[in-house]
Amino acid sequence: MSNVIEELYYGNLEPQELTTEITPKLKKKLSALAKKEEELTAMLPEKERELFTNYVNAHNEFSSISNSDCFISGFRLGARFACDMFIKG
């Protein structure tokens, strides 16, 4: 069994690549979201379309940071569970 910390150190383990395939349910929701964004964008005049695009980009950046924070919190919680097993075990 390989040492996961060593694998992470050497760049052989990239947590963001350990995702599963998109489920059909999620794929359907993503498709609906993209369709609504296209419809809304097509309805807007140029100035409002640019504002909406900037909003979508800002939201995506926020979501990316938020997802990263959630991943870090989850990782820390997992590490706390592992430490608790060894310290109190």
Side-chain angles (χ1 to χ4, degrees):
M1 182 175 185
S2 67
N3 182 332
V4 71
I5 296 171
E6 186 177 12
E7 292 294 315
L8 183 61
Y9 174 80
Y10 285 112
N12 298 328
L13 179 64
E14 297 188 33
Q16 67 273 17
E17 292 181 0
L18 298 177
T19 59
T20 58
E21 291 184 29
I22 295 177
T23 63
K25 183 178 179 180
L26 187 57
K27 196 176 221 179
K28 184 177 177 182
K29 296 293 182 183
L30 183 59
S31 178
L33 180 65
K35 184 178 178 184
K36 295 297 180 191
E37 183 179 341
E38 287 176 11
E39 289 175 8
L40 184 56
T41 302
M43 291 171 48
L44 295 171
E46 187 174 340
K47 184 178 179 183
E48 286 80 3
R49 188 177 320 144
E50 184 178 341
L51 177 62
F52 178 68
T53 300
N54 290 339
Y55 166 80
V56 169
N57 291 337
H59 185 272
N60 289 340
E61 289 175 19
F62 171 81
S63 292
S64 178
I65 293 168
S66 177
N67 290 341
S68 173
D69 288 346
C70 289
F71 174 82
I72 291 167
S73 294
F75 191 89
R76 286 183 175 146
L77 179 60
R80 287 174 52 199
F81 276 114
C83 288
D84 194 55
M85 272 184 7
F86 291 112
I87 293 171
K88 296 178 183 177

